[in-house]
Amino acid sequence: MLVTLDAPYVDTSAADLSLALGDGERPALHVLDLDLPGGIRLRLRLLGASHQVVLRAAGTELTETVACLPGRPPELPATRLDEANGYRFTATVLRPAGAELSTRVAALRAELAGDPYALVGVFPGDADAVTALAVRTDPPDGAVGWRTWHAYPQTNELVLTETVVSLVSARSEPGLRAPQSRTEVAL
């Protein structure tokens, strides 16, 4: 789903972002609620130049927020693995050369515009000021995953994140466990 947002783009950069788990839902500019097979509910939330995903499944709730968070030092980890809770997060910051940011953002917008499992927010004033979230339709068995893109044209940065959460224990009991390793694919 492609939405043009009314709110101004928050003037920030990748260096201002933090990752928080377990925070409450923050005010959102747009929300997409998804019901996935197996009783998995995902809420994709566009914040001002950032995102929040709320996962509810198997009696578990997980909230992931990537944003400029008041009271938290700006620190976006390249990787965060919480094996006890089955959570795996990766982040990459790209600084494309020349007009490559515009090319990448245009391709992303075109790719995700009609995807019922994606939410793309375009901020007024710059077609490259985009925050996008997309649910992975091919996660490892017993897992759910999503990818996000945060484009900052004022600093020529593109932040890519990917999250995988395992929903099945090693003994096939409800709960979370560490996701299986897999090959990384970047935009």
Side-chain angles (χ1 to χ4, degrees):
M1 170 188 303
L2 181 67
V3 294
T4 301
L5 302 168
D6 294 331
Y9 189 69
V10 175
D11 191 14
T12 188
S13 74
D16 297 325
L17 295 175
S18 297
L19 168 67
L21 297 176
D23 281 3
E25 291 188 21
R26 297 182 173 272
L29 301 174
H30 201 81
V31 176
L32 176 62
D33 287 317
L34 297 169
D35 290 317
L36 304 176
I40 300 168
R41 301 198 76 200
L42 277 177
R43 175 171 275 183
L44 307 180
R45 301 170 50 80
L46 286 174
L47 311 178
S50 54
H51 83 267
Q52 188 172 60
V53 176
V54 179
L55 164 67
R56 291 182 180 99
T60 301
E61 182 171 316
L62 178 119
T63 303
E64 172 189 276
T65 306
V66 172
C68 178
L69 299 167
R72 290 185 190 253
E75 183 180 340
L76 185 63
T79 302
R80 180 160 176 189
L81 178 61
D82 181 348
E83 290 188 27
N85 292 311
Y87 178 82
R88 181 170 181 255
F89 172 88
T90 59
T92 304
V93 179
L94 304 175
R95 291 171 183 83
E100 190 179 341
L101 179 68
S102 292
T103 301
R104 285 176 177 252
V105 169
L108 177 68
R109 287 174 60 177
E111 178 185 343
L112 297 181
D115 186 338
Y117 298 101
L119 179 58
V120 180
V122 181
F123 292 86
D126 192 328
D128 294 336
V130 168
T131 298
L133 302 92
V135 175
R136 288 189 52 204
T137 56
D138 64 341
D141 287 341
V144 64
W146 55 88
R147 296 177 73 192
T148 72
W149 299 261
H150 303 258
Y152 300 100
Q154 72 278 11
T155 57
N156 195 46
E157 294 173 304
L158 181 60
V159 178
L160 312 172
T161 76
E162 184 167 10
T163 302
V164 176
V165 179
S166 181
L167 301 171
V168 181
S169 74
R171 295 181 306 277
S172 298
E173 296 171 0
L176 298 173
R177 70 174 175 89
Q180 305 300 310
S181 62
R182 59 178 191 74
T183 304
E184 291 295 320
V185 178
L187 173 70

